[in-house]
Amino acid sequence: MPLALRHLAWRASATALCALGLVVPALSGPVLPPGDGSATDNERLVPHIYPAAPVLTDGEDVNEPYHPYFDIDWSLALRGAYTKGTRGERFDTFLVPEFAFDHVGSRSAVAISGGAEIVRPTDGKIDVTGLRLGLTAGYALDSVTDLTTTGSLTFSQALSGTPGVDSDVAVPAENISGNLDIGITRQFGRFNVGLSGGAERNLYGPTTLIDGTVNDNSVQNYWALDSGLRVGFQATPIFEVFGEAGYGRDLFDETSSAGLTQNATDTQIEGGITGRWNSTLEATASTGLAVRRFDDASLGEVTTQLYDASITFTPDPTWRMRAAFATEVAPPGPSNPGTTRVEQNASAELGYTVNSWLALRALADWSSARFIGSSETETSYGLGAGADYTVNAHTAVTADYLYDRVDSTSTGREDSHQVTLGVTLSR
């Protein structure tokens, strides 16, 4: 056969084989079941026909993600404190556990926190000097009405031999305090009106002196019932003018050693202005008058001018600055003379975050108290600085220095220098 005819035959045979390879699969039908997306009879390719939604026949192996109601956080700090002052030297070891439960919903927010302070002084005796449990809750009834609740339960006991505790005291008095406050705030255009009410309970344990004498402080146990009204007017987008009025009763369990009832009625009125410049600067200043009138006419009444101010400045996320001044009028408390304690106090705090692993802070405070019905006075101030070094996401090392000084007409002048080093483990 000529070569040209052989080439033509080969080409015809190859063309026939290719055509047969294409036709045979189509004639043999689909290998896979229809409707799996591999053939033209898939129902997803037919116009106006939609597949049925998949149905879960058995959900045994399907687990929904779990979202707890509260975000839980906790920390445990171990610190050692060396103190040198007027009364000599001492070394104390502190164990401070803390926890926090937080919940934020569409209309509500709840925060529960607590902590303890356990101390082991040089003599080896372990004491619990502080317990704390706090509650803060808020609920938006509607777009212009908010309901808030705050409560706390605390136990505290000062350490003997520290500034502020009389030198003749061997075991300071224990103080148990609890309070619950409820408030509601509503906006009426540029006005906002708030009503609040609360109850507080204070219990004091005995004071033991170095000579073995035990002073009973139960005469200072009392209930405090308070109510308040606040009216604010948003004069400009920045400034708010406000007025506050309060009425309360102090009800003591027992009469004084002289047989006089210490029950009293507290009234106060204040007016002030608040300025808010976004989240960078907020400042408040107010002044007013407080009157404490005793049920027993022989104790008379106490009238005090009130001055309150605060400023918070956060120029950027690394700097935090705050200063405050306040006037407080309250019962004198255990081991204090007179019928009323009038105190003015000031504080300042400064914080700077150097980077993600180092933060610095400094603080200062001052207070001056006088006791109505007595000639005694007490003045104190303190200075401090500290640093936090973050080792990792769960560990931080802290260092603090604190200077305290107390000038009292009963105990004289006392001061102390304290250096504290510690480590904190957190969730």
Side-chain angles (χ1 to χ4, degrees), residues 33-114:
D36 65 349
S38 62
T40 57
D41 64 345
N42 192 297
E43 61 181 359
R44 292 182 179 273
L45 302 180
V46 179
H48 308 298
I49 297 179
Y50 302 94
V55 178
L56 184 65
T57 58
D58 185 5
E60 181 179 355
D61 297 328
V62 179
N63 295 321
E64 291 290 334
Y66 174 67
H67 298 286
Y69 185 80
F70 286 104
D71 292 329
I72 302 174
D73 196 7
W74 59 264
S75 66
L76 179 64
L78 179 64
R79 301 169 187 153
Y82 170 75
T83 306
K84 182 177 182 179
T86 306
R87 303 187 189 180
E89 301 178 349
R90 60 182 296 155
F91 182 81
D92 301 308
T93 304
F94 295 85
L95 183 66
V96 184
E98 295 180 336
F99 71 88
F101 296 158
D102 293 308
H103 166 75
V104 178
S106 59
R107 302 179 66 176
S108 63
V110 180
I112 302 173
S113 61

Side-chain angles (χ1 to χ4, degrees), residues 126-138:
I126 298 177
D127 293 321
V128 178
T129 57
L131 295 172
R132 174 183 56 85
L133 180 63
L135 166 68
T136 302

Side-chain angles (χ1 to χ4, degrees), residues 101 141 242 248 300 328 337 360 388:
F101 296 158
L141 298 177
F242 66 88
E328 297 180 1
L360 306 176
D388 296 327

Side-chain angles (χ1 to χ4, degrees), residues 3 39 50 59 66 71 75 83 139 144 148 173 212 217 241 266 274 286 296 321 324 346 385-386 415:
L3 182 60
Y50 302 94
Y66 174 67
D71 292 329
S75 66
T83 306
Y139 185 79
V144 294
T148 58
N217 297 307
V241 181
D266 300 313
T274 297
S286 64
D296 195 317
M321 309 173 196
D415 62 4

Side-chain angles (χ1 to χ4, degrees), residues 108-382:
S108 63
V110 180
I112 302 173
S113 61
E117 183 181 76
I118 304 170
V119 182
R120 184 181 185 273
T122 307
D123 58 12
K125 181 182 178 181
I126 298 177
D127 293 321
V128 178
T129 57
L131 295 172
R132 174 183 56 85
L133 180 63
L135 166 68
T136 302
Y139 185 79
L141 298 177
D142 54 43
S143 60
V144 294
T145 309
D146 294 321
L147 181 66
T148 58
T149 301
T150 59
S152 66
L153 181 63
T154 61
F155 165 86
S156 62
Q157 184 180 30
L159 284 173
S160 60
T162 57
V165 178
D166 292 348
S167 57
D168 61 344
V169 173
V171 181
E174 299 176 349
N175 174 218
I176 299 176
S177 177
N179 74 283
L180 179 65
D181 297 283
I182 299 176
I184 185 170
T185 304
R186 183 173 179 83
Q187 292 184 342
F188 299 91
R190 297 169 68 180
F191 286 91
N192 61 80
V193 179
L195 292 172
S196 62
E200 180 179 347
R201 177 63 168 166
N202 284 277
L203 298 172
Y204 298 98
T207 301
T208 304
L209 305 182
I210 294 178
D211 60 7
T213 304
V214 178
N215 294 332
D216 185 13
N217 297 307
S218 59
V219 69
Q220 295 292 340
N221 297 343
Y222 73 99
W223 284 94
L225 306 176
D226 297 292
S227 60
L229 169 66
R230 186 186 188 278
V231 179
F233 174 69
Q234 197 69 43
T236 71
I238 294 178
F239 293 104
E240 178 195 19
V241 181
F242 66 88
E244 296 179 343
Y247 177 86
R249 288 280 293 166
D250 292 336
L251 305 174
F252 288 81
D253 295 356
E254 303 176 11
T255 59
S256 66
S257 57
L260 302 176
T261 177
Q262 302 179 80
N263 296 345
T265 300
D266 300 313
T267 57
Q268 66 179 41
I269 186 170
E270 281 189 90
I273 185 172
T274 297
R276 299 181 182 89
W277 290 264
N278 297 323
S279 59
T280 302
L281 176 63
E282 180 174 341
T284 299
S286 64
T287 185
L289 191 69
V291 178
R292 180 174 170 84
R293 182 176 292 108
F294 294 92
D295 294 356
D296 195 317
S298 63
L299 297 178
E301 67 179 32
V302 179
T303 302
T304 305
Q305 190 75 31
L306 300 177
Y307 300 99
D308 294 276
S310 66
I311 181 171
T312 302
F313 181 49
T314 310
D316 57 59
T318 63
W319 285 98
R320 300 171 304 281
M321 309 173 196
R322 187 180 187 278
F325 182 88
T327 305
E328 297 180 1
V329 181
S335 303
N336 290 322
T339 60
T340 304
R341 177 188 179 99
V342 179
E343 179 179 338
Q344 293 179 325
N345 57 72
S347 63
E349 299 175 2
L350 173 64
Y352 176 60
T353 302
V354 180
N355 47 44
S356 60
W357 49 268
L358 180 61
L360 306 176
R361 60 183 179 276
L363 60 88
D365 61 76
W366 168 90
S367 68
S368 178
R370 57 189 176 94
F371 299 91
I372 306 300
S374 171
S375 59
E376 291 196 13
T377 60
E378 182 180 284
T379 302
S380 66
Y381 67 86

